[in-house]
Amino acid sequence: ICKNKCFQECTQVCKEIVSYRLPCGHKIHLVCSAKKDKLVCNSRCRQLLTCGHRCAGTCGKPCVPCQEKCEWRCKHHKCDRPCGEPCQRPRCDHPCQKIRYCRKCRKDQPCIGMCGEPCPDKCRVCDR
């Protein structure tokens, strides 16, 4: 006996529209007699890429490299390639000009890192 909406013996010609939950969790609507083993999800993919952006592909297919604009930039250089490609920008050799709060000495201190890179959690005064 069919476990779908029509509750009839499954046949090749049943045209009743039923809901079916795919392994990815998305739900699709299809005719009762559709072959369940050949279904693919055409919903937008929900996965987060390693860069933090969402996959732009469709669910059930491998994620494609991120095409968002690369966010790496400083006042001296920027990257013009998509996020999913290696940056073509040179490493900036200027010291970082940001001020960061040190939890040890409880004061604002200049960053000890390089421009455009993440600020290290170190203090020029406390972490000698």
Side-chain angles (χ1 to χ4, degrees), residues 34-83:
K35 301 280 186 208
K36 308 295 188 282
D37 59 337
K38 305 232 190 265
L39 300 178
V40 287
C41 185
N42 290 319
S43 298
R44 187 178 174 112
C45 184
R46 297 186 224 169
Q47 281 192 314
L48 276 182
L49 301 172
T50 55
C51 61
H53 294 121
R54 291 222 178 264
C55 174
T58 54
C59 189
K61 294 181 182 157
C63 289
V64 296
C66 184
Q67 295 300 306
E68 297 283 332
K69 187 174 181 174
C70 182
E71 296 171 0
W72 191 98
R73 65 187 34 73
C74 71
K75 63 183 182 179
H76 308 103
H77 304 287
K78 71 175 185 159
C79 178
D80 293 319
R81 291 187 177 169
C83 183

Side-chain angles (χ1 to χ4, degrees), residues 18-22 24-30 41 43 46:
V18 295
S19 294
Y20 186 75
R21 187 163 304 277
L22 296 168
C24 62
H26 289 119
K27 192 187 289 187
I28 60 171
H29 302 284
L30 63 156
C41 185
S43 298
R46 297 186 224 169

